[in-house]
Amino acid sequence: MRLGTKIIIGFICISLLLAFVGFVSDQFTSEIQEEQLRSVNEASQVVIYTGEMERSLFQSLIFLNGVREAIVVEKGYNTVQELPAVMELTSDFERELEQFEAALNELELLLGRNERLPEDVNELLNSYEVYKSIAREWLNLGEENSDQANLMFINSIEPYFRNNIIPEITELRNYVLEVQEERNQLLDESLEKGALVNYLATLLSVLLAVVLAIYIYRSIANPLAKVSYSAKMIGEGNLDERIEVTSKDEIGDLAEAFNNMAVGLQKSTVSKAYLDNIIESIQEAVFVTDNDGILQRANSAAGKLVGYNISEMMNEPLTRFYNFKEMGNSYKENHENAQSFEFSLIHKNKKTIPVLFSEAELLDNQGNKVGSVAVASDISDRKKAEKKIRASLKEKEVMLAEIHHRVKNNLAVISGLLQLQSHTAKNDDVEKALADSQMRIQSIALIHEMLYESESLAYIKYDKYINDLLQAISSMHMNESRDVKLIAEVDESISLSVNQAIPCSLLVNELVVNAFKHAFKNHEKGEIKVRAVNEKGKIIMTISDNGNGFDVEKFSHSNSLGVTLIKTLSRQLKGEFEILESSESSGSIFRIEFKQEK
């Protein structure tokens, strides 16, 4: 990594770290502030609900007192309940009770009924239920006996309200205020924790920034110290000194430049003993000659290869060990190309040794030729292995040719049996079906015959095969009353493997035989053309005729054996089969396109 890149990445990391700390702190503070605002809103709502409850209860008592006064004042009606003022005040009383209950429900929802409301609230509810029950009984009593109802209000309802309801409402108000106070304390603690986390995150960011700065400093200062030390050692003459390149920045480039300089200096002062050690350590045979081809240096591998001691080989022409008698032409063609080629050397016992040989000129610092260097590798074992492989391959070729020959003969026997069977058939449809099967078998047998006769046992030249196949079809289906010509136009470059040749040949056979049978009814002459071209590895084959044509829709939905074979063989070739309209005549054109196997 380059130094500038390191510094930029360091600044980016620090910036991202500070941005992350700021973002987290802002998020945390925002959440606390939102919680505080929500707590304030809830506290306001609590005060509103408790005030509403207190107001509703006091107002209900006021309405009851109004009812009492109305009962005392108004006595002209048959029943107390018929008094307009009593009816209105009673309705107001019930409405206030409903408002109290609604405010209590809202308060429970706000504070949480199951977790926060104390037992005193249940006492308030119980007192409220008693109050509501006494009040309603009192209203009913007022209808019967107004004096007794007045006395009951003064001695029972009002004292009960004052001694039970009012203190419990006061306790509820105090409780909800305590709950809000606790919530505020929790929020204050959360703010304190948030501030502490913010301080710690800031401190951590500073520490990480310091660590990153130290890392960048050390990645620059330490390599510079190593470069300085190694440069000093090289300057003192220690050419074996090397700087360990641990980075790919400018300092690494500088270290590599120093190492290259040391290597160059070391090469310029290299000793002959050092070169001799290099040549001797090479496993292949190395021969070094002067300009006259006299051997000046050879390693032990060279002596072992040709069977001589090194002292016996020195000052001898190197060509003495070359097998020019058998490999002279190969040497003349290849030795100046500076490439390896197969050659052979002569052993001390006069046997030839096959080698992989190369020869190159030896130049001095001014580019002048001072000799030649030849390198030879023994390939005797490889030659033996190749000989065994060739023998095995020849056996397999013979075996494969024999298999093709036997398959062809067996198919010929089957074809003959079908022909004999067709002669004894008494049904024309059976005879035609046997003849079609015989023709299909002959098309396959013809492939094996051509494979047997060809040099390649895996591919056949398809132009010759199509001509032979059309000739066989013509000889079987030719009718004296009609003159149908078979024309083949197949690229000579098309060669198909057995896997493609058999289904393709069966497909051609089906289409051509079908044309012979059906295309030229009521015609004296006709023409069937088989055309195949190779376009960028794709075989495009068309089988066309100038006959009557046929119903394409009927063909597509036909379940006959021939149509089924055509569709099945097209899928087997992984090809695209289609029927085209003829622009020149009313005949038919079948087109099949498939990819040629390599």
Side-chain angles (χ1 to χ4, degrees):
M1 186 183 296
R2 315 304 289 178
L3 292 178
T5 305
K6 289 182 179 179
I7 295 173
I8 291 172
I9 291 176
F11 279 117
I12 291 174
C13 290
I14 293 174
S15 301
L16 291 176
L17 188 61
L18 293 176
F20 174 76
V21 172
F23 175 77
V24 172
S25 176
D26 182 67
Q27 287 292 108
F28 186 80
T29 305
S30 298
E31 290 179 0
I32 297 299
Q33 289 175 349
E34 290 177 0
E35 186 66 26
Q36 281 184 323
L37 181 60
R38 187 164 55 249
S39 178
V40 170
N41 292 334
E42 289 180 357
S44 300
Q45 291 178 353
V46 165
V47 172
I48 291 171
Y49 292 144
T50 54
E52 180 66 18
M53 292 168 61
E54 186 175 4
R55 185 202 64 79
S56 297
L57 289 175
F58 275 106
Q59 193 66 36
S60 68
L61 185 63
I62 293 171
F63 288 138
L64 286 179
N65 188 50
V67 171
R68 180 180 68 82
E69 292 176 354
I71 292 172
V72 173
V73 175
E74 302 290 345
K75 297 183 179 180
Y77 290 88
N78 295 326
T79 61
V80 175
Q81 297 299 330
E82 292 179 356
L83 292 172
V86 171
M87 293 176 63
E88 182 178 355
L89 291 171
T90 302
S91 176
D92 292 338
F93 168 76
E94 294 293 340
R95 185 177 65 253
E96 293 299 331
L97 293 183
E98 291 176 357
Q99 290 180 356
F100 170 83
E101 294 174 358
L104 179 61
N105 290 334
E106 293 294 333
L107 182 64
E108 289 177 343
L109 291 175
L110 184 63
L111 297 179
R113 184 180 181 89
N114 296 327
E115 296 180 1
R116 294 191 175 272
L117 293 181
E119 292 296 329
D120 294 340
V121 174
N122 294 327
E123 295 179 2
L124 173 62
L125 292 177
N126 294 332
S127 298
Y128 166 73
E129 292 295 333
V130 172
Y131 166 71
K132 181 171 65 172
S133 176
I134 294 173
R136 287 175 176 172
E137 289 179 1
W138 177 82
L139 288 173
N140 293 329
L141 180 63
E143 181 180 358
E144 298 173 356
N145 191 337
S146 58
D147 295 332
Q148 187 177 356
N150 184 40
L151 184 63
M152 180 180 176
F153 180 85
I154 296 172
N155 295 329
S156 297
I157 295 177
E158 186 177 4
Y160 183 84
F161 186 89
R162 185 174 55 255
N163 296 328
N164 294 85
I165 300 296
I166 292 176
E168 290 172 0
I169 290 178
T170 303
E171 290 180 5
L172 176 61
R173 184 190 306 112
N174 294 334
Y175 170 75
V176 295
L177 292 176
E178 289 176 1
V179 169
Q180 293 303 320
E181 183 65 25
E182 290 177 1
R183 286 187 176 182
N184 291 333
Q185 289 179 358
L186 290 176
L187 290 174
D188 292 339
E189 292 176 0
S190 298
L191 280 175
E192 293 176 359
K193 291 180 181 179
L196 179 60
V197 170
N198 189 21
Y199 295 147
L200 292 177
T202 304
L203 179 60
L204 180 61
S205 300
V206 172
L207 292 176
L208 290 176
V210 171
V211 171
L212 185 61
I214 293 174
Y215 167 75
I216 295 175
Y217 170 77
R218 290 174 64 87
S219 65
I220 296 173
N222 291 347
L224 283 176
K226 292 180 181 179
V227 171
S228 176
Y229 174 78
S230 298
K232 181 180 178 181
M233 296 299 293
I234 292 173
E236 293 175 356
N238 185 7
L239 300 182
D240 291 328
E241 178 68 23
R242 296 290 183 272
I243 302 172
E244 183 180 358
V245 180
T246 58
S247 62
K248 295 183 179 180
D249 53 14
E250 291 83 350
I251 299 175
D253 296 340
L254 180 62
E256 189 172 358
F258 269 106
N259 291 340
N260 292 335
M261 180 187 70
V263 170
L265 291 173
Q266 201 170 30
K267 286 181 179 179
S268 63
T269 57
V270 69
S271 64
K272 182 177 179 298
Y274 182 72
L275 290 177
D276 289 342
N277 290 334
I278 293 176
I279 294 174
E280 187 64 28
S281 64
I282 296 175
Q283 300 299 317
E284 285 77 15
V286 179
F287 306 90
V288 181
T289 66
D290 57 17
N291 280 331
D292 298 325
I294 304 301
L295 191 63
Q296 301 296 318
R297 180 72 177 91
N299 61 0
S300 58
K304 182 178 180 181
L305 181 64
V306 295
Y308 290 92
N309 293 327
I310 301 299
S311 59
E312 296 176 325
M313 299 169 63
M314 289 300 100
N315 299 317
E316 293 287 337
L318 183 58
T319 55
R320 170 188 168 185
F321 309 103
Y322 288 179
N323 181 20
F324 283 129
K325 184 177 180 181
E326 297 179 0
M327 304 289 290
N329 292 333
S330 177
Y331 180 82
K332 291 178 182 179
E333 294 173 359
N334 297 294
H335 83 284
E336 294 182 355
N337 296 334
Q339 294 180 352
S340 299
F341 60 93
E342 289 190 7
F343 190 52
S344 62
L345 302 178
I346 301 175
H347 195 269
K348 187 176 182 179
N349 60 11
K350 306 303 180 184
K351 292 183 179 180
T352 59
I353 306 164
V355 294
L356 190 64
F357 190 80
S358 63
E359 191 174 50
E361 293 181 349
L362 184 62
L363 305 177
D364 60 12
N365 293 335
Q366 287 73 38
N368 300 319
K369 181 181 178 182
V370 294
S372 298
V373 178
V375 179
S377 299
D378 189 0
I379 57 173
S380 300
D381 294 337
R382 194 184 80 180
K383 284 294 183 180
K384 292 177 182 178
E386 288 178 357
K387 187 176 180 181
K388 290 181 180 180
I389 292 172
R390 289 193 187 96
S392 176
L393 182 61
K394 184 64 178 176
E395 291 177 1
K396 290 177 173 57
E397 288 176 350
V398 173
M399 185 182 300
L400 189 57
E402 181 64 21
I403 290 172
H404 284 305
H405 184 58
R406 292 190 180 186
V407 170
K408 185 263 296 183
N409 289 342
N410 291 337
L411 291 174
V413 171
I414 296 172
S415 177
L417 292 174
L418 290 175
Q419 186 174 12
L420 291 175
Q421 187 68 39
S422 66
H423 291 329
T424 62
K426 297 179 180 180
N427 187 303
D428 291 340
D429 293 337
V430 174
E431 185 176 353
K432 289 179 181 179
L434 292 173
D436 290 343
S437 297
Q438 182 184 358
M439 193 64 243
R440 293 171 185 137
I441 291 172
Q442 285 184 1
S443 66
I444 299 174
L446 185 59
I447 291 175
H448 288 282
E449 182 178 359
M450 294 188 69
L451 287 172
Y452 171 69
E453 294 175 353
S454 67
E455 294 181 359
S456 172
L457 296 175
Y459 292 86
I460 63 171
K461 300 291 290 181
Y462 211 62
D463 57 337
K464 183 178 182 304
Y465 172 79
I466 288 295
N467 287 321
D468 292 346
L469 179 61
L470 293 182
Q471 184 177 357
I473 295 173
S474 177
S475 63
M476 177 172 287
H477 292 278
M478 183 59 70
N479 192 325
E480 294 180 357
S481 63
R482 290 180 298 183
D483 181 15
V484 179
K485 292 183 179 179
L486 295 177
I487 302 173
E489 296 179 359
V490 182
D491 286 357
E492 295 181 357
S493 62
I494 297 178
S495 295
L496 296 182
S497 66
V498 178
N499 292 335
Q500 288 186 319
I502 290 177
C504 186
S505 302
L506 288 172
L507 185 60
V508 172
N509 175 77
E510 289 298 323
L511 293 172
V512 173
V513 170
N514 184 69
F516 255 112
K517 289 181 178 181
H518 306 291
F520 303 105
K521 293 179 180 180
N522 303 321
H523 286 68
E524 294 181 357
K525 292 184 178 181
E527 179 181 285
I528 302 174
K529 182 184 290 186
V530 179
R531 185 173 182 271
V533 295
N534 187 346
E535 294 184 359
K536 297 180 181 180
K538 286 189 175 181
I539 306 299
I540 301 175
M541 181 174 291
T542 56
I543 297 92
S544 60
D545 64 72
N546 58 356
N548 298 321
F550 64 95
D551 187 348
V552 176
E553 186 70 20
K554 183 177 179 181
F555 176 87
S556 301
H557 295 86
S558 176
N559 294 323
S560 65
L561 176 60
V563 174
T564 302
L565 277 175
I566 290 171
K567 295 178 181 178
T568 303
L569 293 170
S570 299
R571 288 195 297 270
Q572 188 173 345
L573 286 169
K574 298 179 181 178
E576 298 178 359
F577 177 81
E578 59 181 334
I579 304 171
L580 307 176
E581 294 183 359
S582 176
S583 60
E584 299 178 356
S585 65
S586 60
S588 58
I589 301 176
F590 294 86
R591 183 179 185 273
I592 177 71
E593 178 180 332
F594 59 92
K595 189 175 181 181
Q596 184 181 18
E597 287 185 356
K598 295 182 180 181

